[in-house]
Amino acid sequence: MIEETLYRYARQDVPMPPLPAAEVLAEARRRRRRRMQLIGAAATATAVLAVVAAAGVVRTFAGPSVTAAGPGCAVERLTLPPGVSGGVVATGIDPSGRYVIGKAGERGAVKALLWTDGAGAVLPESFVPQAVNGAGMIVGFTGPDRNGGEAEQRPVAWDGARLIQLPLPDGALGGVAHAVNAGGDVLGTLVRSDQTYVAVYWRTAGGAAIASALPGRSGLGLTDTGVAVGFEPSSGRPMRWTSNGSALPLTQPDGTESSAPRSAVGDWASGPASKPPTGSKGDDFAMLAARWNLRTGAVELIPGISGEWVSGSGAVAGITSGGAPAVWRDGQTYTLPMPAGVDAPGSIVAGITADGHSLAGSVEGTAAIGATGAPGDHSNPVASDRTAPVVWHGC
């Protein structure tokens, strides 16, 4: 699953997974190769990570039941702001669906985009937007839009009028703000000079300040009540904690070797998971999601979808094993419609609203939507010129 996901990222020229996740996946691939050599298999795939599971109820859903979303589910291309052409990637949506964020331009000089009620604009500061809350506050990072450039990246927040530099704890070089909740609290992950990671929880009311810093953790998702989720990069253990630093491991789903909560809303968290290798490419590259109930501690395993995003209603969104953007709810996976002339493979889902019925993402068509540079130049755009941002409603 993981290598196929990475392959899709590379093929689509869209954002890689969050920095610490990419580091864990790289180590996972190295370990997987060693194990697969021992059993004589040629393929390499998902992670081999030692995870200590917390006590909790584990439920595994049956094999994927996939159907097209109903006629009420519609896709809409977002209108590009004036002055923007070429590849554009949606990177998030707020819980209400009013705001959608995205990026365009060059990886070394990203244009941050914001759509408000469908009207797009280029923000005056250059940064990479990662998440947006219901008040239109955006978090992300400045610096190069690439993994491996963390020492040059700095976590930031856009408050609607200015770009705020979020403070770094002692020993941190740089990193990314990944999540923002309704109160303006921010969660992110930084890298330190010894190349280890620290999850940082910032409060922004009255001025940006560090509320807690947890070494050895990656912070990815944050609820409105202040519950943070992520994992330990050294072990791959899924984790949850609060702003005061109290941390507990989340339950590792039975039969899996790794799982990483990517988002959290209300009582729910979700993220991709992987099973031990079988030597079958079909099995090893199949998408698999974990969904945690943060109130009860129970975890569910959902086959057939990557599960990067979760709604307040518990719906899970991501990409199916066949490469289609989809949403899962109540045991059923619904594939999302594509714009005319666009196939599902190459699409991504960038977020889901609190009610679970609207989503943002990007699709990749067969024809360019605009020029990204003169032929033969050496530009490095954030996405191919076939990539366009979309929203799905009523799904």
Side-chain angles (χ1 to χ4, degrees):
M1 176 197 75
I2 291 175
E3 283 198 350
E4 179 70 4
T5 300
L6 292 175
Y7 169 73
R8 288 186 182 126
Y9 277 117
R11 185 187 66 210
Q12 297 165 215
D13 197 20
V14 299
M16 286 287 289
L19 167 64
E23 181 74 10
V24 168
L25 300 186
E27 174 60 20
R29 293 196 307 275
R30 289 191 291 268
R31 296 187 186 187
R32 187 63 170 270
R33 281 193 294 267
R34 291 194 292 268
R35 177 169 178 177
M36 296 302 280
Q37 286 170 355
L38 290 176
I39 64 174
T44 60
T46 53
V48 179
L49 298 173
V51 177
V52 179
V57 177
V58 180
R59 177 184 178 192
T60 300
F61 284 91
S65 176
V66 180
T67 189
C73 178
V75 62
E76 172 191 357
R77 285 182 184 256
L78 289 169
T79 302
L80 300 188
V84 174
S85 63
V88 179
V89 178
T91 58
I93 189 170
D94 87 284
S96 72
R98 184 185 184 195
Y99 300 109
V100 176
I101 54 174
K103 63 182 181 178
E106 299 293 311
R107 290 191 182 276
V110 175
K111 293 180 180 179
L113 310 180
L114 173 64
W115 288 267
T116 305
D117 298 323
V122 180
L123 298 180
E125 300 278 1
S126 175
F127 71 103
V128 182
Q130 296 285 94
V132 59
N133 70 6
M137 181 178 177
I138 304 169
V139 299
F141 63 96
T142 58
D145 183 24
R146 60 180 173 83
N147 287 325
E150 57 269 20
E152 304 170 66
Q153 296 167 347
R154 297 292 183 274
V156 294
W158 172 261
D159 68 358
R162 62 194 176 101
L163 197 63
I164 301 167
Q165 298 285 333
L166 299 174
L168 305 183
D170 291 343
L173 298 177
V176 175
H178 288 302
V180 57
N181 67 13
D185 295 335
V186 181
L187 184 72
T189 305
L190 307 179
V191 66
R192 301 190 296 185
S193 57
D194 62 359
Q195 299 304 303
T196 61
Y197 297 101
V198 55
V200 180
Y201 193 122
W202 294 274
R203 295 199 185 282
T204 62
I210 294 173
S212 67
L214 282 73
R217 301 269 163 75
S218 164
L220 299 177
L222 182 65
T223 72
D224 286 345
T225 58
V227 176
V229 299
F231 61 96
E232 294 181 345
S234 62
S235 67
R237 175 188 298 178
M239 301 293 298
R240 60 169 288 174
W241 63 90
T242 57
S243 60
N244 64 10
S246 300
L248 291 171
L250 289 169
T251 302
Q252 179 76 1
D254 284 349
T256 64
E257 289 189 319
S258 65
S259 60
R262 174 68 182 86
S263 64
V265 180
D267 288 339
W268 301 104
S270 73
S274 64
K275 290 184 176 181
T278 65
S280 164
K281 183 176 179 179
D283 291 339
D284 293 340
F285 285 170
M287 295 296 181
L288 192 64
R291 185 181 72 164
W292 293 268
N293 187 309
L294 299 174
R295 179 175 49 84
T296 66
V299 63
E300 299 160 322
L301 199 59
I302 305 169
I305 192 168
S306 57
E308 288 95 344
W309 307 105
V310 69
S311 74
S313 63
V316 172
I319 301 297
T320 68
S321 298
V327 60
W328 174 96
R329 59 170 58 88
D330 300 327
Q332 178 70 52
T333 298
Y334 300 92
T335 56
L336 304 178
M338 292 289 102
V342 176
D343 294 327
S347 304
I348 63 168
V349 176
I352 187 170
T353 54
D355 65 7
H357 293 291
S358 293
L359 306 93
S362 302
V363 298
E364 187 172 347
T366 57
I369 63 169
T372 57
D377 70 11
H378 298 285
S379 61
N380 186 17
V382 299
S384 78
D385 57 8
R386 301 184 305 277
T387 305
V390 299
V391 291
W392 291 275
H393 297 294
C395 301

